[in-house]
Amino acid sequence: MPDDLAGFLSVLQLSDSAFPSGRYTLSYGLETLAQSGRLAMPSDPAVLAALLRDYLRLAVGPSEGVGLACAHRATTGPDSVDLDLVIRADERLTAVKLSREARETSTRTGRALLRVATAAFDPGALSQYAREVANKRTPGNHAVVLGVLSACLGVSRLKSVAGELFAFAASWVAAAVRLAVTDHRTAQGVLHDVRSDLDAAARQAVDGDVADITSCTPLLDIMTMQHEETELRLFAS
């Protein structure tokens, strides 16, 4: 099987909604936006697409995308990883997550991914990193785990970043459907409309370094913080 096809198949597996990482429990602040009345039910598809673009451009791309790229760059083979670089990216990614929910869900899904991946794939580099997470020497953010794992599986850095951003976008529109903010057909249209934005965000993130891991979405951060205090919640974030 050609390497490019093998990598593509790995991206499909890791970004599939059936992969048991727990992302289906996350709304990324959408639940509070809907409860507060800032999003109509149903919402204008153009509004949803604009909001998703802001997530990709200002939050997920420069944070998860760059963090994943750093972890991928640090992993030069199935059994070779620069743990210092991985840990620095991991710690920086935690630092830019302002809300408790965002930090906790990122590490919870990251550790779930670690458990599945070490059992299913057992790459040595990932096992080295998993020991650091288990010993609480590094947080274990989902994007960083995925960066190490993708490199171990031979997925290119750009495809790895693009796969993560697509998985986020697909999870985001799925949450919008569950919240009755939109319907299934419209959600797929929104996902189709942001393809070029996914491409641009991935290409911008792929060569980033640890210092480039940032996030700037004040309203969404506030919505996530408010979600922590909500008594009735469908989602974990």
Side-chain angles (χ1 to χ4, degrees), residues 59-138:
V60 185
S63 58
E64 268 76 8
V66 177
L68 188 156
C70 291
H72 190 289
R73 190 180 302 114
T75 309
T76 53
D79 299 303
S80 179
V81 59
D82 179 351
L83 286 174
D84 177 67
L85 175 54
V86 173
I87 290 171
R88 286 192 292 115
D90 213 1
E91 291 176 342
R92 172 82 178 195
L93 186 53
T94 293
V96 303
K97 294 181 180 297
L98 301 184
S99 73
R100 175 181 57 81
E101 276 191 355
R103 293 190 297 272
E104 290 181 354
T105 56
S106 181
T107 54
R108 185 171 66 249
T109 56
R111 289 171 185 177
L113 176 57
L114 264 179
R115 288 192 297 271
V116 175
T118 51
F121 309 116
D122 194 30
L126 191 67
S127 297
Q128 295 175 50
Y129 171 57
R131 285 194 292 272
E132 299 298 306
V133 174
N135 291 325
K136 299 183 178 180
R137 288 193 284 263
T138 192

Side-chain angles (χ1 to χ4, degrees), residues 210-229:
V210 173
D212 300 314
I213 299 174
T214 58
S215 181
C216 185
T217 51
L219 175 60
L220 300 177
D221 290 335
I222 291 170
M223 292 295 99
T224 303
M225 292 173 187
Q226 290 180 354
H227 189 267
E228 297 173 2
E229 306 299 325

Side-chain angles (χ1 to χ4, degrees), residues 6 17 30 32-33 44-45 48 50 61 82 96 98 104 132 138 146-148 170 173-174 185 188-189 203 224:
S17 60
L30 269 177
T32 314
L33 281 170
D44 183 341
L48 292 176
D82 179 351
V96 303
L98 301 184
E104 290 181 354
E132 299 298 306
T138 192
L146 188 59
V148 175
V173 298
R185 284 184 293 182
Q188 291 305 309
R203 293 183 187 280
T224 303

